């Protein structure tokens, strides 16, 4: 199960094929087992400089490797993990694995780039994220500048005091903050600036509109210029073709992430990219 299907392609568990994870109690029980038996792995998806293709950072994306069911996507289990509170221990595993991997790359002489991890609002409400990050960085002797935290726009809505305080504490560690899936929630850019977010990741639904409609491109352009005016960098998520890349280059969007550049890969697949460093010279020459 979960075997590679060609370069960077993995076969994921298909929920339509089985209702084995359908009931809450079943899924919760299996998640508890997964925590206990360490069935979680991180894959890493490169983010590159839009102009040069230089590898600048990568996003850690959680996968559940079930011995019978195969590889399970986060969308299949994160919602229940959040509503049941299991996201707290799972989130701690993610933080620890990301730091362990950064330490391993450093130990093997690779010059690592920062890894960004996705953090759920439920983790913030527990108030333990800052301490977990600090502890994991110390445990693995990794500098804080190699870690970044992504929080979805919708999770930051409502100015919840606990979340704001914890974000500030995380930033004080030297960890950069990214707004994930920007454009799908209702935050204002000025609110994000007040919260001192460093990077805006524009949701892939907006990237998909590039080149399709004039409005789509104008909308993206407006986000880029406002974010830049407010001192934030912009990442386009879900870049799937060269046309989108060329438009993003013209819009001066700083970084791109998506299948056109690279799929999420297991750690072993990232090691050669750390050496190669530039991911799309071919596309540039084209
Ligand atoms: P996200 O943080 O917005 O991550 C980007 C998602 O888009 C990933 O899906 C990635 O594989 C996918 N993607 C990247 N490039 C492309 C592309 O060009 N086209 C398309 N169609 N998709 C692309 P994935 O890995 O299935 O993760 C889904 C979501 O699960 C993530 O969305 C994130 O919200 C959540 N997630 C992943 N890992 C974690 C984690 O460790 N903790 C928490 N709390 N949530 C996580
Ligand atoms: Mg993310
Ligand atoms: Mg996203
Ligand atoms: Mg998302």
């Amino acid at each position: 199960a979960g075997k590679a299907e060609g370069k960077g392609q993995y076969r994921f568990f298909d929920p339509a094929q089985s209702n084995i994870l359908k009931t809450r109690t079943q899924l919760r029980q299996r998640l508890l087992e997964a925590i206990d038996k360490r069935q979680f792995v991180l894959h890493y998806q490169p983010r590159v400089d839009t102009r040069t293709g230089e590898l600048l950072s990568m996003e850690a994306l959680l996968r559940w490797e079930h011995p019978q069911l195969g590889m399970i996507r986060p969308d299949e289990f994160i919602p229940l993990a959040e509503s049941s509170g299991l996201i707290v221990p799972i989130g701690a595993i993610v933080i620890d694995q990301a730091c362990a991997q950064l330490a391993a790359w450093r130990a093997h002489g690779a010059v690592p780039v920062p890894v960004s991890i996705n953090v759920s609002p439920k983790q913030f409400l527990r108030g333990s994220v800052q301490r977990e990050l600090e502890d994991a960085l110390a445990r693995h002797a990794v500098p804080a500048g190699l870690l970044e935290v992504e929080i979805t726009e919708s999770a930051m809505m409502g100015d919840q005091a606990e979340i704001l305080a914890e974000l500030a504490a995380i930033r004080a560690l030297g960890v950069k903050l990214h707004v994930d899936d920007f454009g799908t929630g209702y935050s204002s850019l000025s609110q994000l600036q007040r919260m001192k977010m460093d990077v805006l990741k524009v949701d892939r639904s907006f990237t998909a509109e590039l080149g399709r409609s004039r409005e789509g491109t104008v909308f993206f352009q407006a986000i880029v210029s406002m974010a830049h005016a407010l001192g934030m960098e912009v990442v386009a998520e879900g870049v799937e073709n060269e046309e989108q890349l060329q438009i993003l280059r013209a819009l001066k969007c700083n970084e791109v992430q998506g299948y056109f550049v690279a799929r999420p890969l297991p750690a072993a697949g990232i090691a050669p990219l750390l050496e190669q460093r530039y991911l799309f010279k071919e596309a540039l020459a084209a």
Side-chain angles (χ1 to χ4, degrees), residues 23-157:
T23 71
R24 282 180 59 89
T25 30
Q26 272 243 24
L27 177 55
R28 189 173 172 281
Q29 189 51 42
R30 285 176 193 264
L31 273 177
L32 281 167
E33 269 172 43
I35 293 168
D36 193 46
K37 297 183 175 154
R38 310 225 138 236
Q39 291 170 348
F40 294 108
V41 293
L42 294 176
H43 281 189
Y44 298 87
Q45 186 177 34
R47 288 208 311 275
V48 303
D49 184 299
T50 309
R51 287 166 306 131
T52 65
E54 183 182 6
L55 177 64
L56 297 178
S57 174
M58 49 209 167
E59 177 170 13
L61 293 161
L62 187 60
R63 277 89 182 86
W64 174 9
E65 281 192 305
H66 190 278
Q68 281 85 44
L69 302 178
M71 188 93 79
I72 306 174
R73 290 182 187 286
D75 291 337
E76 304 295 332
F77 63 89
I78 295 279
L80 183 90
E82 287 182 336
S83 64
S84 64
L86 290 177
I87 194 66
V88 174
I90 293 172
I93 292 172
V94 169
I95 291 170
D96 187 69
Q97 278 195 21
C99 290
Q101 188 57 61
L102 279 164
W105 278 319
R106 275 156 58 91
H108 288 98
V111 180
V113 296
V115 167
S116 62
I117 56 171
N118 293 283
V119 176
S120 146
K122 291 279 150 52
Q123 291 171 264
F124 285 108
L125 294 174
R126 286 291 183 95
S128 55
V129 181
Q130 183 266 341
R131 191 174 33 80
E132 280 167 11
L133 290 168
E134 198 173 14
D135 289 353
L137 288 165
R139 187 160 60 245
H140 298 286
V142 169
L146 286 179
L147 214 52
E148 303 169 336
V149 160
E150 299 192 6
I151 175 166
T152 59
E153 185 191 21
S154 48
M156 305 190 323
M157 273 157 41

Side-chain angles (χ1 to χ4, degrees), residues 225-282:
S225 41
M226 279 192 283
H228 283 170
L230 295 169
M232 286 181 275
E233 303 215 322
V234 185
V235 179
E237 301 191 276
V239 177
E240 292 186 349
N241 59 54
E242 172 148 19
E243 186 191 8
Q244 292 166 349
L245 175 63
Q246 298 296 3
I247 295 171
L248 289 163
R249 209 171 264 158
L251 296 183
K252 304 225 178 329
C253 173
N254 309 87
E255 291 181 43
V256 288
Q257 177 175 349
Y259 296 164
F260 181 70
V261 180
R263 294 213 166 227
L265 296 165
I270 290 294
L273 301 184
L274 287 171
E275 290 192 15
Q276 181 187 334
R277 220 68 184 183
Y278 290 84
L279 270 61
F280 56 58
K281 279 192 186 119
E282 323 78 46

Side-chain angles (χ1 to χ4, degrees), residues 59 61 118 150 152 179-182 201-204 237-238 257:
E59 177 170 13
L61 293 161
N118 293 283
E150 299 192 6
T152 59
V179 184
D180 206 351
D181 301 349
F182 181 75
K201 297 188 75 173
V202 182
D203 191 70
R204 71 165 186 265
E237 301 191 276
Q257 177 175 349

Side-chain angles (χ1 to χ4, degrees), residues 209-225:
E209 283 304 310
L210 292 172
R212 263 195 214 159
S213 67
R214 207 187 99 75
E215 295 74 24
T217 306
V218 168
F219 182 80
F220 212 110
Q221 179 164 37
I223 295 176
V224 173
S225 41

